[in-house]
Structures are given as structure tokens and as C-alpha cells.
Amino acid sequence: MGYISVAIDGPSGAGKSTVARAAAARLGYVYVDTGAMYRAIGLAVCRRGISGEDADGIAAVLPEIDIRLAYQDGAQHVLLNGEDVSDAIRTPEIAYYASKVSAVPAVRQFLLEAQRDMAKKGNILMDGRDIGTVILPDAPVKIFLTASAETRAERRYLELIGKGQQVTRGSVLHDVVERDRQDMSRAVAPLKQAEDAVLLDTSKMTLDESIEAVLQIIRKKIED
């Protein structure tokens, strides 16, 4: 029997990573956070002082970048050239850079084969912006996880405040809306729902309800 791949796509701040990580743990699948991989490249670019608009400059540093996902005590850690950057990549500035680098064809190609290779080695649950449309177009289970911009901004605001960052609700909402615009309008692999993906709006759901809804979709698809 072949391995099962679950593709979860959706906009920034929809809770994909949190929900996907929990669902994968419940199913015994390997969780792959592709967004973290783009954030790691964004961090590398930012640290080198390269503009997010400099596609050639971004492409030029890719040979110097090594990204790995490690699992310790059940948690995923992102390693950039051996350094654990799991926390460093979770800032609004790096989210901006992640959106910029993800629009660079060379970056997407750099990560494409690595991401597809993961799906050949076991049952996985992978989340991102173009998993069901580009990375794993043949995945038997595809989910488009979303929520209103206001809901996503409030969730992100509370998360950032909890980490001690100085932000306002207005600034976070602005960032969410701008990230949506960038992700949906980019020329390479824009954010969109795959035709055969199940739409799941979690605006009025708790985290536990969102996880359970995802699990129900996965189990139903597998049984069918």
C-alpha cells in the first residue's frame, strides 16, 4: 500500500501549522511545515541585508543555505545551517521576507524536490500555500483551511503579544491583508484553493473544533 499524503493550504494566520501539527500527531503522520522552510530562507536573506525585491540576489545565496527539519520530543525544529531558528523565523519581518522569497522561482525549485521527496518516505501531512496545487497535486486528501482576515489578525495579535512583541491590532490586520494580497497575486504558484480541495472555514471554531474537523475530512477521504 502506498503512503498517504495530506495537503493543507490556506492564507497566513489561518492556523494551518497548529492544526496540521496536532492532526498529524493524532494520525501518527509526519508533519511538514513548508512555510517554516520559506521563513528560514527569508531569515537568511534578511541577515545578509538582501532586499526582498532582489530576486537575483536571493537566488545567488541559495547554494549557501542548508535547511533541515528536526524532530525533538515530538516538536518540529527548523535548522538553518545547523542553527535552530524555530523562534527567530516567527516575526512579522521574517513573515514579510518569506512572502517575498516564495515568489522567486529559484527558491521554489530549491525546495520543491525536497518537499516531494518527503512524501515518498512515509505518511505525511504537509501545509503551505501551494501544496495541493503544485507540490503534491496528486495528494488523495486536500484541505483549504481559512478564516476571515479579522479572525486571523486577532489570533496573530494575541500570539505576538504573548511572546512579548510590541504590536497593535491595526498593524497586525494590515500585515495579514497585505500578506494575502502578495500571496494571491504573485506570478509563481499563487495562493488558491485546489479544485478538489475541501474548504474549511474556522472563523467560528475553537482550536479543538478545527483539529477535529480536519481529522474528520481526512478519515472520510481515506475511507472513500
Side-chain angles (χ1 to χ4, degrees):
M1 179 178 177
Y3 293 118
I4 300 295
S5 296
V6 178
I8 298 184
D9 292 309
S12 174
K16 298 187 301 298
S17 297
T18 303
V19 172
R21 185 182 296 109
R26 294 266 291 274
L27 293 166
Y29 287 16
V30 173
Y31 167 61
V32 181
D33 179 1
T34 62
M37 300 172 81
Y38 284 105
R39 282 173 177 265
I41 292 179
L43 177 63
V45 168
C46 178
R47 285 177 170 179
R48 286 167 171 76
I50 300 171
S51 167
E53 311 291 341
D54 184 2
D56 290 338
I58 293 170
V61 301
L62 292 177
E64 304 171 14
I65 297 175
D66 177 63
I67 299 172
R68 299 185 184 181
L69 301 181
Y71 295 87
Q72 302 170 11
D73 301 322
Q76 175 185 269
H77 293 260
V78 183
L79 305 180
L80 173 61
N81 294 337
E83 175 192 354
D84 190 334
V85 295
S86 304
D87 292 330
I89 61 175
R90 301 297 176 182
T91 68
E93 179 183 26
I94 300 307
Y96 162 82
Y97 269 93
S99 181
K100 290 297 184 181
V101 302
S102 67
V104 178
V107 172
R108 305 199 73 85
Q109 189 61 41
F110 179 73
L111 293 177
L112 177 63
E113 290 308 318
Q115 292 165 351
R116 285 181 174 170
D117 190 54
M118 293 176 184
K120 299 175 183 177
K121 297 179 178 178
N123 296 328
I124 68 164
L125 198 159
M126 188 179 293
D127 78 274
R129 302 288 193 286
D130 63 346
I131 309 305
T133 55
V134 177
I135 308 300
L136 301 175
D138 297 324
V141 185
K142 298 178 185 177
I143 300 171
F144 193 84
L145 185 71
T146 190
S148 69
E150 291 74 18
T151 297
R152 289 183 282 126
E154 180 66 14
R155 292 172 180 170
R156 181 61 57 84
Y157 169 78
L158 294 174
E159 176 187 358
L160 294 175
I161 288 295
K163 293 181 178 179
Q165 296 188 28
Q166 301 298 314
V167 295
T168 65
R169 283 184 168 84
S171 67
V172 176
L173 176 59
H174 175 272
D175 289 344
V176 167
V177 172
E178 178 60 18
R179 181 68 188 273
D180 285 352
R181 185 192 66 76
Q182 292 177 0
D183 288 344
M184 291 187 289
S185 63
R186 67 190 183 205
V188 180
L191 170 66
K192 64 180 180 179
Q193 180 180 342
E195 292 184 2
D196 54 346
V198 177
L199 176 64
L200 178 61
D201 189 322
T202 66
S203 297
K204 297 181 180 180
M205 293 183 184
T206 64
L207 175 57
D208 287 342
E209 290 171 340
S210 300
I211 295 169
E212 190 56 41
V214 165
L215 287 170
Q216 287 181 10
I217 293 170
I218 295 172
R219 287 167 177 154
K220 185 176 185 302
K221 284 285 187 178
I222 293 175
E223 290 172 0
D224 290 347

